[in-house]
Amino acid sequence: MRFLFALAGLAALGPAVAAEQAVAIPASTVDVAPTDALATAVLAGGCFWGMEAVFEQVKGVRSVVSGYAGGDRRTATYAQVATERTRHAEAIRISYDPRTVSYATLLRIYFAVAHDPTQLNRQGPDVGPSYRSAIFPQNPGQDRVARAYIAQLGNSGAFDRPVVTKIEQGRFFVAEDEHQDFARRNPAHPYIVRWDKPKVAAFRAAFPTLAR
């Protein structure tokens, strides 16, 4: 399905793919206190290929894993999640060094460029609850910061429509090997060219000091 959407999008755009720009949003007024240990963030914002591609570019991020969050282990497979009946969201698990990049900074990238937090149960051409905008806090500090930032952005007027991102609980299950590092391994894939390369370029343009 993604392949067909990508082909249609490329045909409509012609030989040049339209550039994407980050939304100018304020930094969060609260953050999680840094520690010496690596930390983990779990974020859902549409197709995990593009989310992974963006956050792999961030300084301080040690690894990004694609997977499924919010449902049960027994149905955490691509084929079953694609039925939109498993309650999972396509998500990424980020391992990061909080001394280099903070949780609130990751959320700023998430809201500004990694996905559109005003789209309900969809992202671009992908439709369904598995493509929802959702944050899965890994501890009370992340929960506090995420809720505060959503409220702050809602009052900022930065977005033309309401932010629909939800705070959710649930385990993260690693996706199949074929989905890991997909954009990096398949740079010419039509979906990557149409939807994800522009996001990466937008991140690097908007946050040059945060980019590797």
Side-chain angles (χ1 to χ4, degrees):
M1 184 65 72
R2 289 177 184 162
F3 184 78
L4 294 177
F5 277 130
L7 288 179
L10 286 173
L13 287 172
V17 175
E20 185 169 330
Q21 292 185 333
V23 178
I25 61 174
S28 174
T29 57
V30 295
D31 207 341
V32 177
T35 64
D36 292 336
L38 293 181
T40 300
V42 176
L43 306 173
C47 174
F48 42 32
W49 296 346
M51 289 279 289
E52 181 185 65
V54 170
F55 283 98
E56 283 183 337
Q57 301 286 317
V58 179
K59 288 179 182 177
V61 168
R62 296 293 183 85
S63 68
V64 186
V65 177
S66 289
Y68 313 105
D72 299 329
R73 178 184 293 278
R74 61 186 178 82
T75 54
T77 68
Y78 187 79
Q80 293 180 89
V81 173
T83 67
E84 302 298 344
R85 295 194 297 267
T86 69
R87 305 192 315 278
H88 293 91
E90 288 197 13
I92 56 170
R93 184 179 65 199
I94 305 167
S95 175
Y96 66 98
D97 183 347
R99 296 167 300 182
T100 304
V101 61
S102 73
Y103 184 69
T105 298
L106 293 177
L107 291 186
R108 190 179 187 188
I109 296 167
Y110 169 74
F111 284 113
V113 69
H115 85 307
D116 180 350
T118 70
Q119 293 192 23
L120 182 63
N121 291 335
R122 70 173 300 159
Q123 280 294 307
D126 301 318
V127 180
S130 69
Y131 300 107
R132 66 188 181 270
S133 175
I135 298 171
F136 293 80
Q138 301 299 291
N139 53 57
Q142 289 188 359
D143 186 281
R144 175 179 60 85
V145 171
R147 292 181 187 277
Y149 200 24
I150 290 173
Q152 178 186 342
L153 292 177
N155 293 326
S156 71
F159 295 97
D160 294 335
R161 295 173 296 178
V163 172
V164 298
T165 307
K166 301 298 184 184
I167 306 298
E168 300 188 27
Q169 301 296 320
R171 295 178 61 188
F172 176 89
F173 304 100
V174 177
E176 297 83 349
D177 288 347
E178 65 195 83
H179 295 297
Q180 307 303 329
D181 298 314
F182 189 90
R184 183 156 52 83
R185 293 186 295 103
N186 301 276
H189 190 288
Y191 188 98
I192 300 302
V193 172
R194 171 60 184 89
W195 298 104
D196 296 336
K197 281 191 173 182
K199 285 184 182 180
V200 172
F203 160 69
R204 299 188 69 86
F207 300 99
T209 62
L210 300 178
R212 294 183 187 277

